[in-house]
Structures are given as structure tokens and as C-alpha cells.
Amino acid sequence: MDNATYYKELETRVAVIRELRRQCPSFAKGIIGETLFKEDLFFCAALDRNVQLSEGFIKLLQQRNLSCVGALLRMQMDNCMRTYAAFIAANKDAVIDCIIHGKKIRDLADIDGKKMTDAHLKKKMSAFNTSFPDVYDKASGYVHFSDMAFYQTVVSCNDNIIEWQIGQALQERFNPLLLEAADAFIHFTKIHYKMLQAVVDSKQRYDALHEADAD
């Protein structure tokens, strides 16, 4: 896929990401509702991180920066995992306190008594999408120095002669990977929104109940 085709294909993905980003203010309003709880700060922070990642992701796609695109995809998936941890935790307040105070949640247990390590959360996210663990592992290859970096550098390897590049424009053969990353980012953003919508629905029920009590 040449660059001209890539940029044409990219336009539709960017439009979708921007539309998803425009939904964030209404989500924030719904999360807070008529009352403010500590957990609202947690979910709003996750939403804001979603916004920041979306804006950066678009620019990196336009720059064809595959290494950073992969890393931000991984961060968005991590956003999903941390948000989901608050839903399945044995003690939701403990999870929220961990995140707010910069501590680790891997020593906290979910409702089944399992420690919420990255490996466990990754597995639990397969309930939303069976490919989540595999995509997460591949995206992690851009966070850690791995074979992903090697194959971006190598241009050709023929007759015991290796040609590689450093600091040059990404080869066009990687364009399909960029578009796949864009599709994955969109998909997992929608999953994140699905979780946040559950928070909004819960807050609406709470506000409606207390409004009825006040009457």
C-alpha cells in the first residue's frame, strides 16, 4: 500500500476517532450527574486520558510513526483494563485509592479472589473481545524494545547482505499495520465507552432515586 492510498484510507479512521472524542464532554457530564463521588474522579481521569491518547494517536498516524502508534494503542488498552478493574474489584474503593495515590493494583483482588495483575486483567478483558490478549501482547512489543523495532529497521536481507535504515521515513510496507492499529484503537475506545456508559447509567439511577426521596 503506497502512502497516497494510506492517507486516503486514514481519513475515515481519523474522522471516527474525532467523533468519539467529541462525545467525551457528555460522558463527563453523565459521570458526575447531580452528585460527586470519589469514584467519579477516577472515571473522569480515565476519560481525560482517553481524550489525550486520541489526540496524540491521530497526529502519530498522520506522521506514520508506527513505534509510537503501537505504544499509544497499548496505553489505550491499559486504560480499558484499569477502568474494568474498578468494576470487578472486591473492593472498588481500594482500586480507586491505588490509582489516585499512584500505587499498584496488582496486589488487590477481584470478586473471584484473583490478584489483578496485568496478565489477569488482560485475560478478563477477553470477555469484551477474544482478541484482546493477543493484540495487547503485540502492542506491548512497541513499548518494550523487541523484534518490532528490528523489523522496522531492516529494509532487505538478501545473499547475506543486510540493508537497514535509521531515522528514515517508515517503509510503505508497514502502512497496513498502521491502519490495523487505527481500527484497533477505535474498537477499544468503544469498549472503554461501553464501560463508562454503565457508570453514567448507574449515576442516573442514583440521582433519580434520591430525587424521588426528596419529593
Side-chain angles (χ1 to χ4, degrees):
M1 178 186 293
D2 61 24
N3 287 342
T5 303
Y6 167 75
Y7 283 114
K8 184 176 180 180
E9 292 286 328
L10 181 62
E11 289 179 4
T12 56
R13 274 83 168 180
V14 168
V16 173
I17 296 172
R18 284 178 173 156
E19 176 56 32
L20 290 170
R21 189 254 181 267
R22 282 192 285 270
Q23 297 175 28
C24 289
S26 62
F27 270 109
K29 182 178 179 181
I31 289 169
I32 297 171
E34 300 299 324
T35 54
L36 180 64
F37 299 126
K38 180 170 63 176
E39 66 186 54
D40 297 338
L41 303 177
F42 171 87
F43 291 118
C44 283
L47 179 61
D48 181 65
R49 190 171 190 242
N50 194 319
V51 171
Q52 303 301 327
L53 290 173
S54 296
E55 292 177 350
F57 195 74
I58 288 173
K59 292 180 180 178
L60 292 170
L61 285 171
Q62 292 169 337
Q63 295 169 2
R64 299 179 61 254
N65 188 328
L66 181 58
S67 293
C68 292
V69 160
L72 261 63
L73 171 59
R74 162 68 158 69
M75 291 175 68
Q76 181 68 314
M77 298 178 78
D78 177 80
N79 215 27
C80 290
M81 288 164 53
R82 295 297 182 273
T83 301
Y84 192 48
F87 284 85
I88 65 173
N91 187 335
K92 179 187 292 186
D93 284 342
V95 172
I96 293 170
D97 285 339
C98 269
I99 299 297
I100 290 177
H101 297 293
K103 297 180 180 179
K104 306 293 185 182
I105 67 171
R106 61 190 175 204
D107 293 326
L108 300 178
D110 67 7
I111 54 178
D112 296 320
K114 302 290 187 180
K115 293 293 181 67
M116 293 191 294
T117 62
D118 283 355
H120 180 62
L121 291 174
K122 176 179 66 175
K123 182 178 179 180
K124 294 293 287 186
M125 285 299 301
S126 64
F128 289 93
N129 186 286
T130 56
S131 67
F132 190 98
D134 184 54
V135 176
Y136 182 90
D137 289 341
K138 288 180 179 178
S140 295
Y142 293 101
V143 175
H144 310 292
F145 185 58
S146 69
D147 59 319
M148 303 295 189
F150 173 77
Y151 286 109
Q152 281 188 64
T153 304
V154 174
V155 176
S156 65
C157 182
N158 297 302
D159 299 325
N160 295 319
I161 298 176
I162 299 177
E163 179 185 357
W164 72 91
Q165 63 179 25
I166 299 174
Q168 301 300 310
L170 184 73
Q171 299 170 62
E172 291 184 329
R173 64 189 174 96
F174 289 106
N175 284 338
L177 279 181
L178 286 166
L179 294 178
E180 287 180 16
D183 290 336
F185 189 93
I186 290 168
H187 180 71
F188 296 121
T189 297
K190 290 179 178 178
I191 287 177
H192 193 226
Y193 280 7
K194 183 177 181 179
M195 289 185 273
L196 295 178
Q197 185 60 52
V199 177
V200 172
D201 294 343
S202 177
K203 179 58 71 74
Q204 289 176 343
R205 289 192 296 270
Y206 177 89
D207 288 341
L209 178 62
H210 284 74
E211 183 179 352
D213 290 342
D215 295 338

